Amino acid sequence: MALTTPGLHHVTAIAGDPQRNADFYVGTLGLRFVKRTVNHDDPGTYHFYFGDREGTPGTNITFFPWSIGGRQGRFGAGQTTATAYLIRPESIDYWTDRLEAEGIDIGRTTRFGDTVLRFSDPDGIGLELVASANAETTAEPWEGSPVSVDHQLRGFHSITLAVAEVGPTASVLTDVLGFELEAETEGRRRYRADGGGPGSIVDLVETDAGRGRMGVGTVHHVAFKATDIEEQKRWRSVFAEHGLRVTEVIDRKYFHSIYSREPGGVLFEAATMGPGFTIDENVTELGSTLTLPDWLEDERKEIEEHLLEFDDPTI
Ligand code: ZN
């Protein structure tokens, strides 16, 4: 039996230069720099989180910045081709002007009745802003943003996954994660998480590009919301029942995680709603210092010496 998730928890991608990455997501897109920590599996690399005021699940795009010369990724099957944030319809002109003023090329289209602005971040990661009038949001406005509250990004709208054939990935969405096919248009199939709500959409498209290669400019994994560790343990069984390999429950300090690569090649994660980003920083101080999990505190000096050069993002 499938479990259900309310939708997306976070999206994690690989960037090049950390400064350029943070300057873009904070200075241009107006997200809050919620957390600066290191990749727990590779402590020589930063792990940045950008989201709403509190880093609410469903608002956070996160990055491992590998360096300017880091191995470039290659587009192909098994990749997330777009991470879409929700905006108000009244904000379409604002965002068009704001992005064009930065020299960013924008593609404008209409999809399932909503206006969609498509563009890429400085590393080539596909982003979209979807103007949807009635969509719900749980994003908390960030008063320190260079973008006024009215126009701020309002959490995730959806992600688009490109796969060689839709069938196997679709069956994981529906049979394991409880999504339902909602609509279909021009080679795009839209699945919605049970119950709907913010960030509950996954679109599938087919590509004949061959398997992609993970690297700078590609998404590393996408995470869905799990209530708590108990539910996560049940998820493990459901993944296994469908013949999928799945990790143990891993403590990521701000949430607990399990990971499973779906047959189309996309790495899925299920992440718990808590404890959240205020576990080691006051909400007013989020992102202001390098935080480390307890088991890396003893190595703080060496870690800081080896991390790439980085200053507070430019707003
Ligand atoms: Zn993750």
Side-chain angles (χ1 to χ4, degrees):
M1 200 184 108
L3 285 160
T4 58
T5 173
L8 296 163
H9 186 289
H10 64 269
V11 172
T12 295
I14 299 166
D17 180 38
Q19 195 68 52
R20 191 174 64 166
N21 175 249
D23 286 353
F24 179 78
Y25 282 90
V26 178
T28 300
L29 293 189
L31 294 174
R32 186 174 189 188
F33 190 24
V34 172
K35 192 65 67 178
R36 71 177 83 184
T37 182
V38 296
N39 181 347
H40 290 190
D41 299 326
D42 175 17
T45 300
Y46 276 117
H47 191 180
F48 292 163
Y49 291 75
F50 306 105
D52 72 350
R53 180 176 185 274
E54 294 165 20
T56 308
T59 71
N60 301 308
I61 188 162
T62 98
F63 291 90
F64 303 134
W66 276 5
S67 79
I68 294 170
R71 191 186 75 173
Q72 291 292 308
R74 188 181 61 227
F75 170 77
Q79 288 188 345
T80 302
T81 56
T83 299
Y85 275 94
L86 178 67
I87 58 170
R88 290 189 171 94
E90 307 87 274
S91 300
I92 294 169
D93 291 345
Y94 171 89
W95 279 104
T96 304
D97 294 347
R98 184 175 179 87
L99 295 170
E100 284 182 347
E102 302 244 348
I104 296 166
D105 287 333
I106 304 172
R108 181 169 171 157
T109 186
T110 302
R111 187 187 299 150
F112 300 114
D114 296 328
T115 298
V116 180
L117 304 180
R118 295 179 53 87
F119 55 100
S120 298
D121 86 350
D123 290 302
I125 291 163
L127 297 172
E128 293 177 342
L129 303 182
V130 178
S132 192
N134 300 315
E136 298 169 59
T137 178
T138 50
E140 293 284 337
W142 163 228
E143 58 274 18
S145 173
V147 176
S148 66
V149 168
D150 282 353
H151 295 307
Q152 284 179 18
L153 308 191
R154 311 179 74 212
F156 290 136
H157 172 273
S158 56
I159 52 168
T160 300
L161 308 179
V163 291
E165 45 176 340
V166 161
T169 303
S171 76
V172 174
L173 286 175
T174 56
D175 300 347
V176 178
L177 302 178
F179 280 69
E180 288 183 5
L181 179 63
E182 181 181 81
E184 189 165 3
T185 180
E186 295 166 25
R188 175 179 292 264
R189 284 201 219 173
R190 170 153 294 184
Y191 293 82
R192 190 180 288 272
D194 187 52
S200 56
I201 294 169
V202 175
D203 283 354
L204 298 183
V205 297
E206 290 190 343
T207 176
D208 54 10
R211 260 299 156 96
R213 184 179 71 179
M214 202 253 294
V216 173
T218 64
V219 169
H220 187 269
H221 63 265
V222 296
F224 299 96
K225 291 171 184 165
T227 308
D228 53 25
I229 297 172
E230 289 312 307
E231 186 182 75
Q232 223 164 26
K233 288 177 179 166
R234 293 198 293 277
W235 279 52
R236 291 191 76 247
S237 315
V238 178
F239 274 108
E241 279 167 24
H242 283 77
L244 298 168
R245 292 174 61 181
V246 58
T247 66
E248 297 293 322
V249 174
I250 300 170
D251 182 356
R252 294 304 192 192
K253 189 171 185 180
Y254 308 110
F255 40 82
H256 284 75
S257 301
I258 58 172
Y259 303 85
S260 180
R261 196 171 294 279
E262 57 82 31
V266 183
L267 184 60
F268 282 175
E269 174 184 347
T272 56
M273 298 300 284
F277 295 106
T278 53
I279 191 174
D280 59 2
E281 284 179 305
N282 190 297
V283 72
T284 59
E285 296 165 344
L286 288 177
S288 61
T289 55
L290 180 74
T291 61
L292 296 173
D294 290 346
W295 54 274
L296 285 175
E297 275 296 350
D298 288 349
E299 298 167 47
R300 175 176 281 275
K301 192 161 176 293
E302 291 147 301
I303 288 171
E304 287 182 342
E305 280 171 8
H306 285 93
L307 285 167
L308 295 170
E309 200 172 309
F310 177 71
D311 294 322
D312 288 341
T314 308
I315 294 179

